[in-house]
Amino acid sequence: MNPLRSRFRCRRAAWLVACCLFADLACAQANGDSPTLRKIRDAGVITLGHRVASAPFSYLDGKRQPIGYSMDICQKVVDAVRVRLQMPDLEVRPIVVSSATRIPLVANGTVDLECGITTNTAERGKSVSFSVTTFVAASRLLARKSAHVQTLDDLRGKPVVSTLATTSLIFLNAVNQSRGLDMKILAGLDDIEAFRLLTNGRAVAYAMDDVLLHSMLADAPDAASYLIANDALTTEPYAIGLKRDDPVFKQLVDGVIVELFKSGEIQGIYRKWFESPIPPKGTNLNLPMSDSLKRVIQHPTDASDPRLYR
């Protein structure tokens, strides 16, 4: 081989390697060395996990498109990712998740943003990360007025239902064992099935987050026959689920949410979903913002300890 040609090829190969390294370095700097942002950039797609019937947070409208309070917040994050990656045409791919599948799908990277009704807990934090808190709920008991249920003691030896893979179900099992209440605990595959077990009489009470109970009752024809207990069983700080060990992506998501808080834009988003008629039936939940959520807006936190929200 001609020595000059050989040296030229070596220099050209070295130049190409240098260019690739420079490009990789530039991408890493642009993405802040975030695995999630690199994945989104390379695929040209960001995946949003959503629920199908968890109004007003994440559910399907009349056109079977995901909408809701959590979806609106996630859309703000998508806008920020588009700017960060300089990809204005970034595709958004919705993926249906359930109470049982949401955490695994975030943990394995199938879902980039879990935009539903997920409580930030220390146990879940072992598998996924969470944004700053976006809503604060409380788990309570729902029962027919004629059942006279206000506390767990009223359910001693009786059937009670909650939804599979929820903090309410975990709480029921723990307190049933620790206090020897002898309750028969049933699990619905989703909130709709759990509520049905209550309405058809198979369960005396349904333990679930109060805001979701209000949402289900809003469309129930016999809503006046039911009562949500005053006593809170647990405190539930909701957050957007993210893949673990990606502090750069979490910082981006948190920054978007905190800016919604600081600018006051979150107030309009809240009124849209909790104090106004919402699709598809024009239901108005008429739920003023709680003091707990007001405190979170003033002092954003990603704490999982429920005591910090009381």
Side-chain angles (χ1 to χ4, degrees), residues 151-213:
T151 69
L152 289 172
D153 286 323
D154 297 325
L155 293 170
R156 188 177 294 273
K158 298 177 181 178
V160 58
V161 66
S162 192
T163 306
L164 186 68
T166 61
T167 52
S168 293
L169 187 65
I170 294 171
F171 172 81
L172 282 179
N173 281 304
V175 76
N176 195 37
Q177 182 175 4
S178 65
R179 293 176 54 185
L181 295 176
D182 195 31
M183 295 183 297
K184 179 183 179 183
I185 299 175
L186 308 176
L189 292 177
D190 53 32
D191 295 333
I192 294 176
E193 182 179 77
F195 184 55
R196 189 180 299 119
L197 290 174
L198 171 66
T199 59
N200 66 19
R202 289 187 58 191
V204 174
Y206 175 28
M208 183 43 59
D209 301 351
D210 49 7
V211 62
L212 300 179
L213 297 178

Side-chain angles (χ1 to χ4, degrees), residues 80-159:
V81 171
R82 283 175 169 151
V83 172
R84 177 73 167 264
L85 298 181
Q86 299 181 2
M87 298 176 69
D89 298 323
L90 177 67
E91 179 186 346
V92 177
R93 181 175 298 161
I95 295 179
V96 174
V97 299
S98 68
S99 57
T101 65
R102 53 190 169 175
I103 300 299
L105 289 177
V106 173
N108 69 19
T110 301
V111 166
D112 299 315
L113 295 168
E114 196 272 306
C115 314
I117 48 169
T118 300
T119 300
N120 177 4
T121 69
E123 182 62 29
R124 288 171 176 167
K126 297 175 182 178
S127 302
V128 301
S129 183
F130 288 98
S131 71
V132 295
T133 298
T134 57
F135 191 87
V136 183
S139 178
R140 302 179 193 272
L141 294 171
L142 172 68
R144 290 188 181 274
K145 292 178 179 178
S146 58
H148 303 291
V149 172
Q150 276 293 335
T151 69
L152 289 172
D153 286 323
D154 297 325
L155 293 170
R156 188 177 294 273
K158 298 177 181 178

Side-chain angles (χ1 to χ4, degrees), residues 270-286:
Y270 185 92
R271 286 193 297 270
K272 173 183 176 182
W273 294 106
F274 296 94
E275 299 180 292
S276 305
I278 61 174
K281 299 180 181 180
T283 304
N284 190 336
L285 296 181
N286 290 307

Side-chain angles (χ1 to χ4, degrees), residues 9-25:
R9 287 181 174 177
C10 289
R11 288 176 180 175
R12 184 171 183 274
W15 178 80
L16 289 173
V17 170
C19 286
C20 290
L21 290 174
F22 178 80
D24 288 344
L25 177 62

